[in-house]
Amino acid sequence: MRKLAERHTAKIVLLDDALRFMRVVWDLEHAVQSTSKRMERTIGVTGPQRLAMRVAGTLPGITPAELARVLHLDPSTISGVIHRLVAKQLVARAADPLDRRLVRLRLTPTGERLNRPTRTGTLESAIRGTLARFPDSKIRTAVEVLEHLSSTLSAKSKRP
């Protein structure tokens, strides 16, 4: 069985760039999902919830619509994330003092404690550790490639 796995592993180098990249993207997606589930068990929030909290903590008073734009998410998706964070008493909603139709988000004291950027065991800490190993030029290139791929896939999924 081991020899079969080694033979297939060795053949990965024969895959073209697109297939090798897809394999890495799927591996990354699986690792992100697994880490997110582990985060929920260990610290009480998923990866997307933590990201929403980090942005809300960095930009106090952000509206749900602004948060959705920052995170490149549909407003209905961010609505569910916010609802769960409010239910966990990590985020509070408050009416905008100038426009009562708007809701502003802020972290609760419990949310503030959970929001520390150095929190270990999070996707963010793994990403920060990984990024620290590479020069800025490589990070910019990786971000550019991933943003372009995301944009391409998003545009294609919106076509009828």
Side-chain angles (χ1 to χ4, degrees), residues 93-142:
R93 302 174 200 218
D96 184 292
L98 302 176
D99 184 349
R100 297 299 222 182
R101 296 170 297 174
L102 290 178
V103 171
R104 300 284 174 182
L105 303 173
R106 65 170 178 77
L107 298 180
T108 64
T110 304
E112 289 282 354
R113 284 190 296 279
L114 189 62
N115 196 45
R116 291 188 323 269
T118 56
R119 180 93 195 195
T120 59
T122 63
L123 287 166
E124 180 184 1
S125 66
I127 291 169
R128 283 185 191 281
T130 299
L131 293 179
R133 299 182 64 182
F134 292 91
D136 289 346
S137 61
K138 284 194 174 196
I139 294 167
R140 282 192 302 273
T141 300

Side-chain angles (χ1 to χ4, degrees), residues 15 21-22 32 37-38 51 74 95 102 104 129 138 141:
L15 299 175
F21 196 85
M22 284 173 60
V32 165
K37 288 176 185 175
R38 182 177 35 74
L51 179 57
D74 187 84
L102 290 178
R104 300 284 174 182
K138 284 194 174 196
T141 300

